[in-house]
Amino acid sequence: MMKTAELNLTKEWDKTYKKDERVNHSKVTFINRYGITLAADMFVPKNAKGKLAAIAVSGPFGAVKEQCSGLYAQEMATRGFLTIAFDPSFTGESGGEPRYMASPDINTEDFQAAVDFLSVQPNVDPERIGIIGICGWGGLAVNAAALDTRIKATVASTMYDMTRVNANGYFDSENSEKARYEKKVALNKQRTKEYASGEYELGGGVIDPLPENAPDFVKDYYAYYKTDRGYHPRSLNSNGGWNKTGCMSFMNMPILKYSNEIRSAVMIMHGDKAHSFYFGKDAYDNMIKDNPYSDNKQLLVIKGASHTDLYDGGEGKVIPFDKLQTFFEKYLNL
């Protein structure tokens, strides 16, 4: 029997973005296939009538719904969609023990569970459901689209391929059997240590204080997660980070293997100044290779945008919400 657990949900508005009075907001919960109860913010356009097209949003990897995903969800709701922004399993206000773990399987399932929930809402058309994944959740969104035929349109924003970066390191600089073996040795030693102590150790969120010689993308992360711009007390990246062994299973489970079998519409949206741009470009190329359903796939390049600019728009407010609206209106048949 599927039974949602009772979660301790915050009542007050504790987001990193301002509340938009054009939409109604509420907290909702739903359960995934593994019995984990997930928490979400729901946004519904005021005065909406009939069955609406719906969008589920999550990410970035290590963030919470009070940050970027909620911003995306609220904005898309002002444009006529019913939306939810959810915390993944083991993080934020969602359930799951132990805390601060990640899984390519369970986290893909989280998107599918969001589709389950939306599909049975009385004010949602189950044939018009889309998803948005940000950062690491962009790759997971593409993986969900490859598995879940109910998803009719997907946007991956400033995406990471979490399997590739865990296995190969940044910019594929550790892409060798030797480098992977050394990482596995260290991770498995950590597992033994934690089992002996009975406690998991956190790996640390965004580095603080920021070294003067930090790479630009680390400075960008700091400027978002460690300042008033994007800091949130429940965010892993803003605070203690994932468990040291939390992302271990991503190393040998390529999530994008069947992306070129996706029949539904997919937009990969990336800034050309993002350190992660190669993830988006390669994911798009792999998705359309030998795919007879490539006409509804697109790579949208945002000129001059960094990785975190597509979190909240950055100083230039560069998130192209008009183009997202057009994309979802077209492929969710508005």
Side-chain angles (χ1 to χ4, degrees):
M1 173 67 75
M2 295 181 184
K3 186 176 181 180
T4 56
E6 186 173 343
L7 301 177
N8 184 23
L9 302 179
T10 304
K11 299 290 194 297
E12 68 270 12
W13 183 267
D14 62 344
K15 322 300 184 190
T16 59
Y17 55 92
K18 294 181 179 179
K19 189 174 184 179
D20 195 313
E21 298 301 332
R22 291 175 291 176
V23 301
N24 292 318
H25 165 261
S26 61
K27 288 284 188 76
V28 297
T29 59
F30 55 94
I31 191 170
N32 72 14
R33 188 163 50 96
Y34 295 99
I36 299 171
T37 300
L38 304 182
D41 286 299
M42 177 184 283
F43 300 93
V44 183
K46 286 188 174 177
N47 303 317
K49 296 180 180 179
K51 290 184 176 290
L52 304 177
I55 303 171
V57 191
S58 197
F61 200 79
V64 289
K65 64 187 181 304
E66 289 75 19
Q67 296 169 307
C68 318
S69 60
L71 172 67
Y72 272 69
Q74 180 175 252
E75 178 61 32
M76 295 308 293
T78 68
R79 296 164 184 264
F81 302 89
L82 183 150
T83 64
I84 59 171
F86 65 89
D87 284 329
S89 296
F90 313 112
T91 62
E93 291 187 307
S94 287
E97 294 289 342
R99 305 301 289 168
Y100 313 136
M101 289 291 185
S103 162
D105 179 15
I106 295 174
N107 294 146
T108 299
E109 162 64 21
D110 289 342
F111 261 126
Q112 293 193 267
V115 176
D116 293 341
F117 171 78
L118 291 172
S119 295
V120 300
Q121 299 309 301
N123 53 349
V124 169
D125 182 345
E127 296 300 319
R128 295 190 294 158
I129 294 176
I131 61 174
I132 298 173
I134 307 164
C135 183
W137 280 82
L140 290 163
V142 174
N143 194 44
L147 184 60
D148 198 325
T149 57
R150 299 170 300 173
I151 298 171
K152 298 304 190 290
T154 300
V155 168
S157 176
T158 195
M159 69 160 281
Y160 262 50
D161 177 348
M162 293 304 300
T163 51
R164 181 176 177 181
V165 75
N166 276 280
N168 298 351
Y170 278 109
F171 313 113
D172 299 326
S173 61
E174 301 168 357
N175 185 18
S176 71
E177 185 276 340
K178 181 177 183 293
R180 276 187 287 276
Y181 182 79
E182 290 173 352
K183 283 192 282 187
K184 293 171 189 176
V185 168
L187 286 166
N188 285 298
K189 284 183 178 179
Q190 182 67 28
R191 288 180 66 112
T192 303
K193 178 184 177 183
E194 291 176 344
Y195 197 87
S197 68
E199 294 182 352
Y200 292 100
E201 295 180 8
L202 296 180
V206 173
I207 190 169
D208 189 16
L210 183 70
E212 290 185 7
N213 63 345
D216 286 344
F217 75 92
V218 175
K219 293 178 181 178
D220 288 342
Y221 281 138
Y222 183 94
Y224 181 79
Y225 286 110
K226 291 292 188 176
T227 70
D228 289 343
R229 174 183 164 196
Y231 176 83
H232 196 278
R234 287 192 295 275
S235 169
L236 283 68
N237 294 336
S238 290
N239 297 284
W242 297 94
N243 287 336
K244 288 183 177 180
T245 59
C247 299
M248 186 176 182
S249 60
F250 281 91
M251 288 187 66
N252 63 345
M253 294 187 183
I255 57 175
L256 302 181
K257 181 175 178 60
Y258 297 105
S259 65
N260 69 339
E261 296 182 3
I262 299 174
R263 298 189 181 190
S264 59
V266 180
M267 174 195 287
I268 293 178
M269 180 174 74
H270 228 119
D272 66 350
K273 300 302 181 184
H275 69 282
S276 53
F277 188 28
Y278 71 105
F279 290 128
K281 288 191 297 183
D282 289 356
Y284 174 76
D285 289 341
N286 293 333
M287 181 172 57
I288 64 172
K289 183 180 179 181
D290 301 322
N291 187 345
Y293 302 93
S294 60
D295 289 348
N296 57 0
K297 312 295 190 291
Q298 58 181 292
L299 175 64
L300 176 62
V301 179
I302 313 302
K303 298 294 185 181
S306 71
H307 182 81
T308 57
D309 282 341
L310 293 183
Y311 282 9
D312 62 350
E315 293 182 359
K317 303 300 179 187
V318 298
I319 301 173
F321 282 116
D322 287 345
K323 292 185 178 179
L324 267 65
Q325 178 180 350
T326 299
F327 172 80
F328 281 113
E329 285 180 345
K330 178 177 180 180
Y331 292 108
L332 298 185
N333 299 317
L334 265 68

